[in-house]
Amino acid sequence: MKRFVKNILIGAALLLAGCSSEPQTGTDRKVEELLGQMTLREKVGQMNQLSGGAWLAETAAKGEVGSILNCVDPAEINAVQRAAVEESRLGIPILVSRDVIHGFRTIFPIPIGQAATFDPAIVEKGARIAAVEATASGVKWTFSPMLDIARDPRWGRVAEGAGEDPYLDVQMGVAMVKGYQGDDLNDPTSMAACIKHFVGYGAAEGGRDYNSTMISERSLRNTYFPAFKATAEAGAATLMTSFNEIDGIPSTGNRWLLKNILRDEWGWDGMVVTDWNSAGEMIAHGFSRDLKHTAEQAINAGVDMDMMSYGFIQYVEELVKEGKVSEKEIDRAVRNILKLKFDLGLFENPYVDETASAKVDYAPEHLEAAKQCALESAILLKNSNDVLPLDKAKTILVTGPLADAPYEQMGTWAFDGQQEHTVTPLEALREEYNVIWEPGLAYSRDRNTKDFAKVRSAASRADAAVVIVGEEAILSGEAHSLSNLDLQGAQSELIAEVAKAGKPVVVVVMAGRPLTIERDLENCDAMLYSFHPGTMGGPAIADLIKGKAVPSGKLPMTFLRDAGQAPFYYNHNNSGRPCNGTETLLNDIPIAAGQTSLGCTSYYLDTGYGPLFPFGYGLSYTTFKYGNPVLDKAEYGRSDVITVSFELKNTGDREGTEVAQLYVQDLVGSVVRPVKELKGFQRVTLAPGETRTVTFDLPVAELAFWNIDMEHVVEPGDFKLWVAGDSASGEPVGFAVL
Ligand code: NOJ
């Protein structure tokens, strides 16, 4: 009843507003009307986001919380919502949020694994399914996608993003935003996306989470901004500030980022939330004096909502009274928050149907899509003598700590995935083979080798061995950086032990990051890298091993030979002394050699110049041959589109899918340009022996970069272009831009 009266009042006010001369329409008018009725305290309440469930009902009834996170119990959500809608003075609904990062109940591969599919369509589908499941539990806002470019696998959060490349990041980010938000935010299954962490968080020094970053403005614009700009343009409803500081300014207090770039330059009109207490952390950074100061700095910089610092709710009224924060800034923030709530349809439909989730969670089509994504994301790194697929073997040994680890297989940030729904490789392989099961190690960090003799003897009784190793979920993700990227515990020793039996050895790695697996490659015949593949990882891996499916994933990050090579990425600038192909390695150096006897180029004496595997790399059970790229012209104007075609042939005897990649180099610029940049990719499925002409259309405008005058332009000059199966292959053709 109370709610009904309240709605009448709001409705009457809206009618009156309709008679005013203000040129406002629809949602904007509703927002202004509501804003006009709010006290300062109520406004600040909307700007406050708290973690919790039903116990926040009292706070909601007082209008002192605008959004909650971390509650996914529909009954609890409804309890808080009822307090907000029916007991607070203005009945403004609560916005319920959650980290739905790679699925809600049905867990998809971790985002870095999804990026390895190079398939935006399956990634969009995964995000859609996540939204369907999460909204059925009452979650209307997810803190995803994470768009942080990550060039250092020591950083634990590489698991949560699309890797090192800006172009791939854009494609994956836009796909996720579209999937979460659907065609219309007002749809009951739509969930607002949150592009994060703005910005540069992945460039933490030394890969140590939360650490400082030094990123030039040009590098921000050329490398770190593009995915944020593209997803903002694709309609991402919200954005999260990052924990890090850049050049001394924490993002949460960075007016240049949050106002000049985001609002003025990009014209984005969504809502900005801090990361968890990232406002409060500006004290530890030494940027703010105290909590009150953090609120002042964050709001004036352009933050709309405070996640868990309590600074806004405690100090904003004082700050306004003292003239340190203007009501105009507060109204800006509240407008953005209210608009989102109207857009999401929360005023009309604040409550969740408490029986809905049971009907959609783990729906068969969700599991099918999760399996498809896991199939496409696995990368074949080695396959000596075509040992894979194991289509002839009858009895196999399955061993390793990740072979039957339903929780670990879901990976980091899988809060709501239920491990009892995970199908492990062990279970799935049992459907295909006579399996001898010997775990070997209890968990990935286990050093206890007492069962190794049993494992080796089992290997000798089997036709082949499948060793499933990697990282427990907790070893990657937030605050889980590592300085050593070798397999943990005695896992490498386990692989070596199995190899002694002399049977074909297939290693599967389930991990949250690129690990340094060079020595393990030597001890196996084949290696599939699946990252943490999620709920349906087991059946996907079994299908790939058996040959019911063919691997097609490609590396979204450079794989290192040694962690000491990090950061390492394919699209780097050249030094003045690039490697000339004549590395002298440590053991080649004569004793008492003269100082100038080496090549004097940019590489490590111990690991050499190259990585273990380049960005974009991945094998198949078949092989592909790339014909020479043919361009439609030799010279282009700046508004032209470059059409490049080439023949791609499946030269093997089974069907397979190749991710054909297009790279470009701008040879001379007003500032140094990367040695190569990904500018397109296509998944191409070919029958055995089939040849197809593949065509890329590349607008010349895509060659623009932020130049010496900090203008986004295409500079005329000579370029090279490659089409290849990875970032280190192919022969370039040249073209010019006039
Ligand atoms: C901290 C993380 O950095 C961020 O990604 C996440 O969304 C929030 N916590 C909320 O859990």
Side-chain angles (χ1 to χ4, degrees), residues 17 86 106 163 198 210 222 224 267 276 302 313 330 342 352 409 433 513 576 597 607 647 660 671:
E86 300 182 20
T106 305
F198 196 57
Y210 312 120
N222 282 329
Y224 294 86
W276 182 285
I313 194 76
I330 302 296
F342 277 112
V352 53
Q409 172 179 326
Y433 300 96
R513 54 159 67 77
S597 60
T607 49
E647 310 252 281
V671 294

mmCIF file with all atom_site columns, all heavy atoms in Angstrom, residues 17 86 106 163 198 210 222 224 267 276 302 313 330 342 352 409 433 513 576 597 607 647 660 671:
data_model
loop_
_atom_site.group_PDB
_atom_site.id
_atom_site.type_symbol
_atom_site.label_atom_id
_atom_site.label_alt_id
_atom_site.label_comp_id
_atom_site.label_asym_id
_atom_site.label_entity_id
_atom_site.label_seq_id
_atom_site.pdbx_PDB_ins_code
_atom_site.Cartn_x
_atom_site.Cartn_y
_atom_site.Cartn_z
_atom_site.occupancy
_atom_site.B_iso_or_equiv
_atom_site.pdbx_formal_charge
_atom_site.auth_seq_id
_atom_site.auth_comp_id
_atom_site.auth_asym_id
_atom_site.auth_atom_id
_atom_site.pdbx_PDB_model_num
ATOM 1   N N   . ALA A 1 17  ? 5.923  17.356  -14.273 1.00 0.00 ? 17  ALA A N   1
ATOM 2   C CA  . ALA A 1 17  ? 7.155  17.624  -15.015 1.00 0.00 ? 17  ALA A CA  1
ATOM 3   C C   . ALA A 1 17  ? 6.883  17.672  -16.501 1.00 0.00 ? 17  ALA A C   1
ATOM 4   O O   . ALA A 1 17  ? 7.479  18.458  -17.234 1.00 0.00 ? 17  ALA A O   1
ATOM 5   C CB  . ALA A 1 17  ? 8.188  16.545  -14.713 1.00 0.00 ? 17  ALA A CB  1
ATOM 6   N N   . GLU A 1 86  ? 9.547  -0.512  -0.091  1.00 0.00 ? 86  GLU A N   1
ATOM 7   C CA  . GLU A 1 86  ? 8.301  -0.304  0.649   1.00 0.00 ? 86  GLU A CA  1
ATOM 8   C C   . GLU A 1 86  ? 8.480  0.483   1.936   1.00 0.00 ? 86  GLU A C   1
ATOM 9   O O   . GLU A 1 86  ? 7.528  0.994   2.483   1.00 0.00 ? 86  GLU A O   1
ATOM 10  C CB  . GLU A 1 86  ? 7.647  -1.667  0.930   1.00 0.00 ? 86  GLU A CB  1
ATOM 11  C CG  . GLU A 1 86  ? 7.339  -2.369  -0.387  1.00 0.00 ? 86  GLU A CG  1
ATOM 12  C CD  . GLU A 1 86  ? 6.649  -3.710  -0.236  1.00 0.00 ? 86  GLU A CD  1
ATOM 13  O OE1 . GLU A 1 86  ? 6.072  -3.947  0.836   1.00 0.00 ? 86  GLU A OE1 1
ATOM 14  O OE2 . GLU A 1 86  ? 6.717  -4.501  -1.191  1.00 0.00 ? 86  GLU A OE2 1
ATOM 15  N N   . THR A 1 106 ? 26.638 -22.127 -14.234 1.00 0.00 ? 106 THR A N   1
ATOM 16  C CA  . THR A 1 106 ? 27.406 -22.843 -15.252 1.00 0.00 ? 106 THR A CA  1
ATOM 17  C C   . THR A 1 106 ? 28.692 -22.061 -15.482 1.00 0.00 ? 106 THR A C   1
ATOM 18  O O   . THR A 1 106 ? 28.656 -20.929 -15.970 1.00 0.00 ? 106 THR A O   1
ATOM 19  C CB  . THR A 1 106 ? 26.613 -22.913 -16.572 1.00 0.00 ? 106 THR A CB  1
ATOM 20  O OG1 . THR A 1 106 ? 25.335 -23.486 -16.309 1.00 0.00 ? 106 THR A OG1 1
ATOM 21  C CG2 . THR A 1 106 ? 27.356 -23.758 -17.603 1.00 0.00 ? 106 THR A CG2 1
ATOM 22  N N   . GLY A 1 163 ? 44.190 -11.073 -21.997 1.00 0.00 ? 163 GLY A N   1
ATOM 23  C CA  . GLY A 1 163 ? 45.607 -11.236 -22.300 1.00 0.00 ? 163 GLY A CA  1
ATOM 24  C C   . GLY A 1 163 ? 46.310 -9.957  -22.698 1.00 0.00 ? 163 GLY A C   1
ATOM 25  O O   . GLY A 1 163 ? 45.988 -8.876  -22.203 1.00 0.00 ? 163 GLY A O   1
ATOM 26  N N   . PHE A 1 198 ? 39.649 0.573   -14.573 1.00 0.00 ? 198 PHE A N   1
ATOM 27  C CA  . PHE A 1 198 ? 40.092 1.745   -15.302 1.00 0.00 ? 198 PHE A CA  1
ATOM 28  C C   . PHE A 1 198 ? 41.114 2.509   -14.455 1.00 0.00 ? 198 PHE A C   1
ATOM 29  O O   . PHE A 1 198 ? 40.742 3.090   -13.472 1.00 0.00 ? 198 PHE A O   1
ATOM 30  C CB  . PHE A 1 198 ? 38.873 2.618   -15.610 1.00 0.00 ? 198 PHE A CB  1
ATOM 31  C CG  . PHE A 1 198 ? 39.100 3.658   -16.681 1.00 0.00 ? 198 PHE A CG  1
ATOM 32  C CD1 . PHE A 1 198 ? 39.522 3.304   -17.952 1.00 0.00 ? 198 PHE A CD1 1
ATOM 33  C CD2 . PHE A 1 198 ? 38.875 4.992   -16.403 1.00 0.00 ? 198 PHE A CD2 1
ATOM 34  C CE1 . PHE A 1 198 ? 39.720 4.256   -18.932 1.00 0.00 ? 198 PHE A CE1 1
ATOM 35  C CE2 . PHE A 1 198 ? 39.064 5.957   -17.379 1.00 0.00 ? 198 PHE A CE2 1
ATOM 36  C CZ  . PHE A 1 198 ? 39.484 5.580   -18.647 1.00 0.00 ? 198 PHE A CZ  1
ATOM 37  N N   . TYR A 1 210 ? 48.261 -4.949  -7.302  1.00 0.00 ? 210 TYR A N   1
ATOM 38  C CA  . TYR A 1 210 ? 47.987 -3.645  -6.673  1.00 0.00 ? 210 TYR A CA  1
ATOM 39  C C   . TYR A 1 210 ? 49.138 -2.653  -6.837  1.00 0.00 ? 210 TYR A C   1
ATOM 40  O O   . TYR A 1 210 ? 49.075 -1.534  -6.348  1.00 0.00 ? 210 TYR A O   1
ATOM 41  C CB  . TYR A 1 210 ? 47.698 -3.767  -5.156  1.00 0.00 ? 210 TYR A CB  1
ATOM 42  C CG  . TYR A 1 210 ? 46.714 -4.836  -4.779  1.00 0.00 ? 210 TYR A CG  1
ATOM 43  C CD1 . TYR A 1 210 ? 47.067 -5.886  -3.925  1.00 0.00 ? 210 TYR A CD1 1
ATOM 44  C CD2 . TYR A 1 210 ? 45.412 -4.798  -5.272  1.00 0.00 ? 210 TYR A CD2 1
ATOM 45  C CE1 . TYR A 1 210 ? 46.158 -6.861  -3.566  1.00 0.00 ? 210 TYR A CE1 1
ATOM 46  C CE2 . TYR A 1 210 ? 44.491 -5.777  -4.918  1.00 0.00 ? 210 TYR A CE2 1
ATOM 47  C CZ  . TYR A 1 210 ? 44.870 -6.806  -4.062  1.00 0.00 ? 210 TYR A CZ  1
ATOM 48  O OH  . TYR A 1 210 ? 43.964 -7.773  -3.716  1.00 0.00 ? 210 TYR A OH  1
ATOM 49  N N   . ASN A 1 222 ? 47.225 4.265   -26.744 1.00 0.00 ? 222 ASN A N   1
ATOM 50  C CA  . ASN A 1 222 ? 47.432 3.268   -27.801 1.00 0.00 ? 222 ASN A CA  1
ATOM 51  C C   . ASN A 1 222 ? 47.137 1.849   -27.342 1.00 0.00 ? 222 ASN A C   1
ATOM 52  O O   . ASN A 1 222 ? 46.704 1.013   -28.128 1.00 0.00 ? 222 ASN A O   1
ATOM 53  C CB  . ASN A 1 222 ? 48.877 3.314   -28.315 1.00 0.00 ? 222 ASN A CB  1
ATOM 54  C CG  . ASN A 1 222 ? 49.096 4.475   -29.274 1.00 0.00 ? 222 ASN A CG  1
ATOM 55  O OD1 . ASN A 1 222 ? 48.183 4.885   -29.986 1.00 0.00 ? 222 ASN A OD1 1
ATOM 56  N ND2 . ASN A 1 222 ? 50.302 5.015   -29.281 1.00 0.00 ? 222 ASN A ND2 1
ATOM 57  N N   . TYR A 1 224 ? 46.119 0.774   -23.583 1.00 0.00 ? 224 TYR A N   1
ATOM 58  C CA  . TYR A 1 224 ? 45.261 0.442   -22.441 1.00 0.00 ? 224 TYR A CA  1
ATOM 59  C C   . TYR A 1 224 ? 43.835 0.982   -22.576 1.00 0.00 ? 224 TYR A C   1
ATOM 60  O O   . TYR A 1 224 ? 42.909 0.426   -21.997 1.00 0.00 ? 224 TYR A O   1
ATOM 61  C CB  . TYR A 1 224 ? 45.902 0.938   -21.135 1.00 0.00 ? 224 TYR A CB  1
ATOM 62  C CG  . TYR A 1 224 ? 47.188 0.198   -20.825 1.00 0.00 ? 224 TYR A CG  1
ATOM 63  C CD1 . TYR A 1 224 ? 48.405 0.615   -21.356 1.00 0.00 ? 224 TYR A CD1 1
ATOM 64  C CD2 . TYR A 1 224 ? 47.161 -0.955  -20.059 1.00 0.00 ? 224 TYR A CD2 1
ATOM 65  C CE1 . TYR A 1 224 ? 49.576 -0.086  -21.107 1.00 0.00 ? 224 TYR A CE1 1
ATOM 66  C CE2 . TYR A 1 224 ? 48.327 -1.670  -19.801 1.00 0.00 ? 224 TYR A CE2 1
ATOM 67  C CZ  . TYR A 1 224 ? 49.534 -1.223  -20.330 1.00 0.00 ? 224 TYR A CZ  1
ATOM 68  O OH  . TYR A 1 224 ? 50.684 -1.936  -20.085 1.00 0.00 ? 224 TYR A OH  1
ATOM 69  N N   . GLY A 1 267 ? 32.556 11.004  -24.246 1.00 0.00 ? 267 GLY A N   1
ATOM 70  C CA  . GLY A 1 267 ? 31.123 11.289  -24.152 1.00 0.00 ? 267 GLY A CA  1
ATOM 71  C C   . GLY A 1 267 ? 30.332 10.152  -23.533 1.00 0.00 ? 267 GLY A C   1
ATOM 72  O O   . GLY A 1 267 ? 29.135 10.000  -23.771 1.00 0.00 ? 267 GLY A O   1
ATOM 73  N N   . TRP A 1 276 ? 36.695 -2.128  -4.629  1.00 0.00 ? 276 TRP A N   1
ATOM 74  C CA  . TRP A 1 276 ? 36.458 -2.363  -3.195  1.00 0.00 ? 276 TRP A CA  1
ATOM 75  C C   . TRP A 1 276 ? 37.409 -1.506  -2.351  1.00 0.00 ? 276 TRP A C   1
ATOM 76  O O   . TRP A 1 276 ? 38.619 -1.729  -2.346  1.00 0.00 ? 276 TRP A O   1
ATOM 77  C CB  . TRP A 1 276 ? 36.670 -3.848  -2.906  1.00 0.00 ? 276 TRP A CB  1
ATOM 78  C CG  . TRP A 1 276 ? 36.424 -4.296  -1.504  1.00 0.00 ? 276 TRP A CG  1
ATOM 79  C CD1 . TRP A 1 276 ? 37.226 -4.076  -0.429  1.00 0.00 ? 276 TRP A CD1 1
ATOM 80  C CD2 . TRP A 1 276 ? 35.306 -5.058  -1.041  1.00 0.00 ? 276 TRP A CD2 1
ATOM 81  N NE1 . TRP A 1 276 ? 36.694 -4.643  0.682   1.00 0.00 ? 276 TRP A NE1 1
ATOM 82  C CE2 . TRP A 1 276 ? 35.511 -5.266  0.345   1.00 0.00 ? 276 TRP A CE2 1
ATOM 83  C CE3 . TRP A 1 276 ? 34.165 -5.592  -1.626  1.00 0.00 ? 276 TRP A CE3 1
ATOM 84  C CZ2 . TRP A 1 276 ? 34.608 -5.994  1.131   1.00 0.00 ? 276 TRP A CZ2 1
ATOM 85  C CZ3 . TRP A 1 276 ? 33.275 -6.314  -0.839  1.00 0.00 ? 276 TRP A CZ3 1
ATOM 86  C CH2 . TRP A 1 276 ? 33.489 -6.495  0.514   1.00 0.00 ? 276 TRP A CH2 1
ATOM 87  N N   . GLY A 1 302 ? 35.194 12.381  -10.170 1.00 0.00 ? 302 GLY A N   1
ATOM 88  C CA  . GLY A 1 302 ? 34.186 11.858  -11.090 1.00 0.00 ? 302 GLY A CA  1
ATOM 89  C C   . GLY A 1 302 ? 33.591 10.516  -10.701 1.00 0.00 ? 302 GLY A C   1
ATOM 90  O O   . GLY A 1 302 ? 32.871 9.906   -11.480 1.00 0.00 ? 302 GLY A O   1
ATOM 91  N N   . ILE A 1 313 ? 29.291 7.885   2.626   1.00 0.00 ? 313 ILE A N   1
ATOM 92  C CA  . ILE A 1 313 ? 28.123 7.937   3.514   1.00 0.00 ? 313 ILE A CA  1
ATOM 93  C C   . ILE A 1 313 ? 28.452 8.693   4.809   1.00 0.00 ? 313 ILE A C   1
ATOM 94  O O   . ILE A 1 313 ? 27.616 9.378   5.377   1.00 0.00 ? 313 ILE A O   1
ATOM 95  C CB  . ILE A 1 313 ? 27.569 6.514   3.799   1.00 0.00 ? 313 ILE A CB  1
ATOM 96  C CG1 . ILE A 1 313 ? 26.179 6.548   4.428   1.00 0.00 ? 313 ILE A CG1 1
ATOM 97  C CG2 . ILE A 1 313 ? 28.516 5.685   4.656   1.00 0.00 ? 313 ILE A CG2 1
ATOM 98  C CD1 . ILE A 1 313 ? 25.082 6.861   3.495   1.00 0.00 ? 313 ILE A CD1 1
ATOM 99  N N   . ILE A 1 330 ? 27.316 15.920  -6.618  1.00 0.00 ? 330 ILE A N   1
ATOM 100 C CA  . ILE A 1 330 ? 26.480 14.868  -6.018  1.00 0.00 ? 330 ILE A CA  1
ATOM 101 C C   . ILE A 1 330 ? 25.330 14.538  -6.968  1.00 0.00 ? 330 ILE A C   1
ATOM 102 O O   . ILE A 1 330 ? 25.012 13.366  -7.212  1.00 0.00 ? 330 ILE A O   1
ATOM 103 C CB  . ILE A 1 330 ? 25.915 15.346  -4.646  1.00 0.00 ? 330 ILE A CB  1
ATOM 104 C CG1 . ILE A 1 330 ? 27.059 15.725  -3.709  1.00 0.00 ? 330 ILE A CG1 1
ATOM 105 C CG2 . ILE A 1 330 ? 24.996 14.300  -4.041  1.00 0.00 ? 330 ILE A CG2 1
ATOM 106 C CD1 . ILE A 1 330 ? 27.981 14.603  -3.324  1.00 0.00 ? 330 ILE A CD1 1
ATOM 107 N N   . PHE A 1 342 ? 16.547 2.983   -13.523 1.00 0.00 ? 342 PHE A N   1
ATOM 108 C CA  . PHE A 1 342 ? 15.385 3.073   -14.425 1.00 0.00 ? 342 PHE A CA  1
ATOM 109 C C   . PHE A 1 342 ? 15.615 2.212   -15.662 1.00 0.00 ? 342 PHE A C   1
ATOM 110 O O   . PHE A 1 342 ? 14.752 1.457   -16.083 1.00 0.00 ? 342 PHE A O   1
ATOM 111 C CB  . PHE A 1 342 ? 15.126 4.527   -14.842 1.00 0.00 ? 342 PHE A CB  1
ATOM 112 C CG  . PHE A 1 342 ? 14.332 5.311   -13.820 1.00 0.00 ? 342 PHE A CG  1
ATOM 113 C CD1 . PHE A 1 342 ? 14.916 6.353   -13.109 1.00 0.00 ? 342 PHE A CD1 1
ATOM 114 C CD2 . PHE A 1 342 ? 12.987 5.014   -13.581 1.00 0.00 ? 342 PHE A CD2 1
ATOM 115 C CE1 . PHE A 1 342 ? 14.185 7.083   -12.169 1.00 0.00 ? 342 PHE A CE1 1
ATOM 116 C CE2 . PHE A 1 342 ? 12.245 5.738   -12.638 1.00 0.00 ? 342 PHE A CE2 1
ATOM 117 C CZ  . PHE A 1 342 ? 12.855 6.773   -11.930 1.00 0.00 ? 342 PHE A CZ  1
ATOM 118 N N   . VAL A 1 352 ? 12.750 -10.394 -7.345  1.00 0.00 ? 352 VAL A N   1
ATOM 119 C CA  . VAL A 1 352 ? 13.114 -11.578 -8.134  1.00 0.00 ? 352 VAL A CA  1
ATOM 120 C C   . VAL A 1 352 ? 12.139 -12.711 -7.766  1.00 0.00 ? 352 VAL A C   1
ATOM 121 O O   . VAL A 1 352 ? 11.754 -12.864 -6.605  1.00 0.00 ? 352 VAL A O   1
ATOM 122 C CB  . VAL A 1 352 ? 14.588 -11.981 -7.882  1.00 0.00 ? 352 VAL A CB  1
ATOM 123 C CG1 . VAL A 1 352 ? 14.912 -12.158 -6.406  1.00 0.00 ? 352 VAL A CG1 1
ATOM 124 C CG2 . VAL A 1 352 ? 14.961 -13.242 -8.654  1.00 0.00 ? 352 VAL A CG2 1
ATOM 125 N N   . GLN A 1 409 ? 39.017 -26.916 -11.060 1.00 0.00 ? 409 GLN A N   1
ATOM 126 C CA  . GLN A 1 409 ? 38.796 -26.820 -12.504 1.00 0.00 ? 409 GLN A CA  1
ATOM 127 C C   . GLN A 1 409 ? 37.946 -25.595 -12.883 1.00 0.00 ? 409 GLN A C   1
ATOM 128 O O   . GLN A 1 409 ? 37.997 -25.115 -14.005 1.00 0.00 ? 409 GLN A O   1
ATOM 129 C CB  . GLN A 1 409 ? 38.118 -28.131 -12.911 1.00 0.00 ? 409 GLN A CB  1
ATOM 130 C CG  . GLN A 1 409 ? 37.618 -28.229 -14.278 1.00 0.00 ? 409 GLN A CG  1
ATOM 131 C CD  . GLN A 1 409 ? 36.998 -29.627 -14.522 1.00 0.00 ? 409 GLN A CD  1
ATOM 132 O OE1 . GLN A 1 409 ? 37.443 -30.636 -13.984 1.00 0.00 ? 409 GLN A OE1 1
ATOM 133 N NE2 . GLN A 1 409 ? 35.973 -29.668 -15.336 1.00 0.00 ? 409 GLN A NE2 1
ATOM 134 N N   . TYR A 1 433 ? 37.404 -44.782 -22.180 1.00 0.00 ? 433 TYR A N   1
ATOM 135 C CA  . TYR A 1 433 ? 38.527 -45.734 -22.082 1.00 0.00 ? 433 TYR A CA  1
ATOM 136 C C   . TYR A 1 433 ? 38.379 -46.604 -20.832 1.00 0.00 ? 433 TYR A C   1
ATOM 137 O O   . TYR A 1 433 ? 37.645 -46.264 -19.900 1.00 0.00 ? 433 TYR A O   1
ATOM 138 C CB  . TYR A 1 433 ? 39.858 -44.967 -21.929 1.00 0.00 ? 433 TYR A CB  1
ATOM 139 C CG  . TYR A 1 433 ? 40.190 -44.029 -23.055 1.00 0.00 ? 433 TYR A CG  1
ATOM 140 C CD1 . TYR A 1 433 ? 39.892 -42.672 -22.968 1.00 0.00 ? 433 TYR A CD1 1
ATOM 141 C CD2 . TYR A 1 433 ? 40.825 -44.503 -24.204 1.00 0.00 ? 433 TYR A CD2 1
ATOM 142 C CE1 . TYR A 1 433 ? 40.210 -41.802 -23.994 1.00 0.00 ? 433 TYR A CE1 1
ATOM 143 C CE2 . TYR A 1 433 ? 41.155 -43.634 -25.246 1.00 0.00 ? 433 TYR A CE2 1
ATOM 144 C CZ  . TYR A 1 433 ? 40.843 -42.287 -25.136 1.00 0.00 ? 433 TYR A CZ  1
ATOM 145 O OH  . TYR A 1 433 ? 41.164 -41.435 -26.155 1.00 0.00 ? 433 TYR A OH  1
ATOM 146 N N   . ARG A 1 513 ? 47.060 -19.099 -15.609 1.00 0.00 ? 513 ARG A N   1
ATOM 147 C CA  . ARG A 1 513 ? 48.008 -18.205 -16.293 1.00 0.00 ? 513 ARG A CA  1
ATOM 148 C C   . ARG A 1 513 ? 48.926 -19.037 -17.180 1.00 0.00 ? 513 ARG A C   1
ATOM 149 O O   . ARG A 1 513 ? 48.986 -20.253 -17.031 1.00 0.00 ? 513 ARG A O   1
ATOM 150 C CB  . ARG A 1 513 ? 48.854 -17.466 -15.256 1.00 0.00 ? 513 ARG A CB  1
ATOM 151 C CG  . ARG A 1 513 ? 49.535 -18.428 -14.296 1.00 0.00 ? 513 ARG A CG  1
ATOM 152 C CD  . ARG A 1 513 ? 50.722 -17.815 -13.627 1.00 0.00 ? 513 ARG A CD  1
ATOM 153 N NE  . ARG A 1 513 ? 50.448 -16.731 -12.706 1.00 0.00 ? 513 ARG A NE  1
ATOM 154 C CZ  . ARG A 1 513 ? 49.981 -16.870 -11.467 1.00 0.00 ? 513 ARG A CZ  1
ATOM 155 N NH1 . ARG A 1 513 ? 49.688 -18.068 -10.991 1.00 0.00 ? 513 ARG A NH1 1
ATOM 156 N NH2 . ARG A 1 513 ? 49.808 -15.822 -10.677 1.00 0.00 ? 513 ARG A NH2 1
ATOM 157 N N   . GLY A 1 576 ? 66.857 -0.030  -30.342 1.00 0.00 ? 576 GLY A N   1
ATOM 158 C CA  . GLY A 1 576 ? 67.797 0.359   -31.391 1.00 0.00 ? 576 GLY A CA  1
ATOM 159 C C   . GLY A 1 576 ? 68.710 -0.805  -31.772 1.00 0.00 ? 576 GLY A C   1
ATOM 160 O O   . GLY A 1 576 ? 69.427 -0.744  -32.761 1.00 0.00 ? 576 GLY A O   1
ATOM 161 N N   . SER A 1 597 ? 82.711 -8.827  -26.891 1.00 0.00 ? 597 SER A N   1
ATOM 162 C CA  . SER A 1 597 ? 82.698 -9.977  -27.787 1.00 0.00 ? 597 SER A CA  1
ATOM 163 C C   . SER A 1 597 ? 81.296 -10.454 -28.141 1.00 0.00 ? 597 SER A C   1
ATOM 164 O O   . SER A 1 597 ? 81.134 -11.269 -29.033 1.00 0.00 ? 597 SER A O   1
ATOM 165 C CB  . SER A 1 597 ? 83.463 -11.127 -27.155 1.00 0.00 ? 597 SER A CB  1
ATOM 166 O OG  . SER A 1 597 ? 82.840 -11.459 -25.936 1.00 0.00 ? 597 SER A OG  1
ATOM 167 N N   . THR A 1 607 ? 68.174 -17.146 -21.645 1.00 0.00 ? 607 THR A N   1
ATOM 168 C CA  . THR A 1 607 ? 66.966 -17.655 -22.313 1.00 0.00 ? 607 THR A CA  1
ATOM 169 C C   . THR A 1 607 ? 66.867 -17.210 -23.769 1.00 0.00 ? 607 THR A C   1
ATOM 170 O O   . THR A 1 607 ? 65.935 -17.605 -24.469 1.00 0.00 ? 607 THR A O   1
ATOM 171 C CB  . THR A 1 607 ? 65.691 -17.193 -21.568 1.00 0.00 ? 607 THR A CB  1
ATOM 172 O OG1 . THR A 1 607 ? 65.794 -15.796 -21.342 1.00 0.00 ? 607 THR A OG1 1
ATOM 173 C CG2 . THR A 1 607 ? 65.509 -17.935 -20.265 1.00 0.00 ? 607 THR A CG2 1
ATOM 174 N N   . GLU A 1 647 ? 44.896 -17.825 -49.811 1.00 0.00 ? 647 GLU A N   1
ATOM 175 C CA  . GLU A 1 647 ? 44.340 -19.174 -49.823 1.00 0.00 ? 647 GLU A CA  1
ATOM 176 C C   . GLU A 1 647 ? 44.766 -19.867 -48.543 1.00 0.00 ? 647 GLU A C   1
ATOM 177 O O   . GLU A 1 647 ? 45.956 -19.863 -48.199 1.00 0.00 ? 647 GLU A O   1
ATOM 178 C CB  . GLU A 1 647 ? 44.920 -19.970 -50.982 1.00 0.00 ? 647 GLU A CB  1
ATOM 179 C CG  . GLU A 1 647 ? 44.846 -19.267 -52.305 1.00 0.00 ? 647 GLU A CG  1
ATOM 180 C CD  . GLU A 1 647 ? 43.805 -19.898 -53.196 1.00 0.00 ? 647 GLU A CD  1
ATOM 181 O OE1 . GLU A 1 647 ? 44.120 -20.946 -53.769 1.00 0.00 ? 647 GLU A OE1 1
ATOM 182 O OE2 . GLU A 1 647 ? 42.691 -19.341 -53.280 1.00 0.00 ? 647 GLU A OE2 1
ATOM 183 N N   . ALA A 1 660 ? 42.892 -17.782 -38.400 1.00 0.00 ? 660 ALA A N   1
ATOM 184 C CA  . ALA A 1 660 ? 43.788 -17.047 -39.294 1.00 0.00 ? 660 ALA A CA  1
ATOM 185 C C   . ALA A 1 660 ? 43.922 -15.625 -38.758 1.00 0.00 ? 660 ALA A C   1
ATOM 186 O O   . ALA A 1 660 ? 42.930 -14.978 -38.417 1.00 0.00 ? 660 ALA A O   1
ATOM 187 C CB  . ALA A 1 660 ? 43.208 -17.028 -40.701 1.00 0.00 ? 660 ALA A CB  1
ATOM 188 N N   . VAL A 1 671 ? 56.382 8.536   -33.796 1.00 0.00 ? 671 VAL A N   1
ATOM 189 C CA  . VAL A 1 671 ? 56.881 7.882   -32.580 1.00 0.00 ? 671 VAL A CA  1
ATOM 190 C C   . VAL A 1 671 ? 57.091 6.411   -32.950 1.00 0.00 ? 671 VAL A C   1
ATOM 191 O O   . VAL A 1 671 ? 56.466 5.915   -33.891 1.00 0.00 ? 671 VAL A O   1
ATOM 192 C CB  . VAL A 1 671 ? 55.896 7.985   -31.392 1.00 0.00 ? 671 VAL A CB  1
ATOM 193 C CG1 . VAL A 1 671 ? 55.740 9.413   -30.927 1.00 0.00 ? 671 VAL A CG1 1
ATOM 194 C CG2 . VAL A 1 671 ? 54.540 7.387   -31.743 1.00 0.00 ? 671 VAL A CG2 1
#
